[in-house]
Amino acid sequence: MDEEMAEDSPAVAKRVLVVEDNELNLKLFCDLLRAHEYTTEGVRDGREAVAAARAFAPDLIVMDIQLPHVSGFDLIVQLKADDALRSIPIMAVTAYAGREDEERIRAAGADAYVSKPISLMRFVDAVQALLKSD
Ligand code: MN
């Protein structure tokens, strides 16, 4: 029987699914995460986000809130209602910086909230805080 040690190795990159309809932002987030040695998968169409989460099995989901067709808020509700997916931490990213929006998004199940325009350092700090090994 083969002994697969790789899965337990600290060298295995954590996986981040990025849901963002803006192509430039999506590339920026994915490039930034890859530069910090995360494995990334990008989704531009929110309607594909739940299936992508199932297929990619990420350690973290970065979720834009303003999306066409389906809001990031509704996607957070869907993900948190799914037994197989609800344990994946979600970091919401949104241009809406109002207190009410932040509270509504956190109440839906987002574990962190970063407002646009994005500070790259705060973005990475928030990702690392959510993925730090326990
Ligand atoms: Mn957007």
Side-chain angles (χ1 to χ4, degrees), residues 19-22 25 64-68 93 116:
V19 183
E20 166 64 82
D21 61 302
N22 180 287
N25 279 344
D64 182 27
I65 296 300
Q66 276 192 288
L67 299 166
V93 176
K116 293 179 182 175

Side-chain angles (χ1 to χ4, degrees), residues 71-82 90 104 107-110:
S71 77
F73 179 86
D74 289 340
L75 289 173
I76 292 170
V77 171
Q78 282 180 46
L79 289 162
K80 292 303 178 183
D82 189 304
I90 298 176
R104 198 170 70 100

Side-chain angles (χ1 to χ4, degrees), residues 3 7 12-13 15-16 21-22 26 31 43 46 54 58 65 67 71-72 80 96 117 125 127 130:
E3 283 195 48
E7 266 179 63
V12 172
R15 303 157 71 80
V16 183
D21 61 302
N22 180 287
L26 181 63
D31 286 350
V43 173
R54 259 185 245 293
I65 296 300
L67 299 166
S71 77
K80 292 303 178 183
Y96 290 139
D125 282 350
V127 166
L130 288 167

Side-chain angles (χ1 to χ4, degrees), residues 10 12-18 32-34 36-40 56-62 87-91 111-112 123-134:
V12 172
K14 294 276 178 95
R15 303 157 71 80
V16 183
L17 178 69
V18 181
L32 184 63
L33 291 165
R34 286 192 198 111
H36 287 80
E37 299 181 359
Y38 295 109
T39 297
T40 64
F56 184 58
D59 299 292
L60 172 70
I61 299 171
V62 173
S87 65
I88 304 168
I90 298 176
M91 185 173 108
D111 302 89
F123 181 91
V124 172
D125 282 350
V127 166
Q128 289 176 338
L130 288 167
L131 285 175
K132 67 172 184 283
S133 45
D134 30 20

